[in-house]
Amino acid sequence: MKKIKLLMAEDHQSAREAYLALLATEENFTVLGGAPNGYELLKMVERREPDIALVDVEMPVMDGFKTIHELKVRFPKVKPIVLTMHDERHFIAQLILCGARAYLPKSCSMQELVVAINKVFEEGFYFSESLARAVVAGSFADRQFQKSLRHIDLSGQEVEVLRL
């Protein structure tokens, strides 16, 4: 079994160290390190080639939106997972459009975080059922989200799958 290589961008040092210490106890994870912002994370990604990047949204120097966008453009094999305190539907939808493969609130359990990392590694995405319903129900009614959808190349069938 291949070990999942992880990096994390989190500006609060104690939170970053706690998450990484707990994740390092998982048998199938290799923790490669953590960074205080997206800019430092991107430098680490170049050298360490992680499978998964855990990314906070609000960080100095380079925020989560820009970090996820840069990961998508420069390192498409790295799968970003957002771990944040924000839970507004439109906000979450924008993160997904930027390239996030999963969204988790910081209030989630470590068990759910581990499940999400494994699912993203194996299947490409992870969204809890309640989050998926909230985002899709709210976002398709949201004009800003509909406008954003026009900028990505989705077929009619793909849009219908998102609606369902």
Side-chain angles (χ1 to χ4, degrees):
M1 174 201 296
K2 182 182 187 250
K3 285 196 163 210
I4 302 170
K5 298 180 289 184
L6 304 170
L7 280 175
M8 180 177 210
E10 164 63 60
D11 60 324
H12 294 97
Q13 184 176 349
S14 58
R16 182 175 66 245
E17 289 174 358
Y19 278 115
L20 294 177
L22 288 168
L23 292 169
T25 65
E26 292 293 318
E27 244 180 62
N28 66 321
F29 294 171
T30 300
V31 173
L32 302 176
N37 58 62
Y39 177 76
E40 294 298 323
L41 177 87
L42 292 172
K43 290 191 326 189
M44 294 174 84
V45 167
E46 286 182 286
R47 297 186 312 268
R48 300 187 182 167
E49 301 178 357
D51 300 304
I52 304 284
L54 299 171
V55 181
D56 188 11
V57 175
E58 285 189 33
M59 298 179 290
V61 183
M62 183 183 285
D63 69 15
F65 285 100
K66 179 74 173 162
T67 302
I68 291 168
H69 174 75
E70 287 297 312
L71 285 169
K72 184 177 176 181
V73 171
R74 294 174 46 198
F75 307 102
K77 290 183 180 178
V78 178
K79 297 174 178 121
I81 294 176
V82 172
L83 188 59
T84 186
M85 64 182 184
H86 292 282
D87 63 356
E88 299 86 11
R89 289 186 299 210
H90 176 71
F91 196 76
I92 298 165
Q94 290 299 321
L95 288 164
I96 294 165
L97 288 172
C98 280
R101 301 300 192 95
Y103 163 88
L104 293 164
K106 286 185 177 176
S107 60
C108 76
S109 68
M110 281 305 293
Q111 180 181 2
E112 184 176 13
L113 178 57
V114 169
V115 166
I117 291 168
N118 282 303
K119 289 274 190 188
V120 168
F121 181 74
E122 294 165 8
E123 300 172 14
F125 292 91
Y126 170 82
F127 298 103
S128 67
E129 186 176 332
S130 61
L131 175 66
R133 280 191 191 150
V135 169
V136 173
S139 297
F140 275 99
D142 185 292
R143 279 193 167 141
Q144 183 69 20
F145 184 75
Q146 290 176 355
K147 195 169 152 182
S148 297
L149 279 177
R150 287 184 225 140
H151 297 294
I152 56 177
D153 190 23
L154 294 176
S155 70
Q157 187 175 10
E158 289 168 324
V159 170
E160 184 60 25
V161 168
L162 282 174
R163 285 181 207 274
L164 294 173

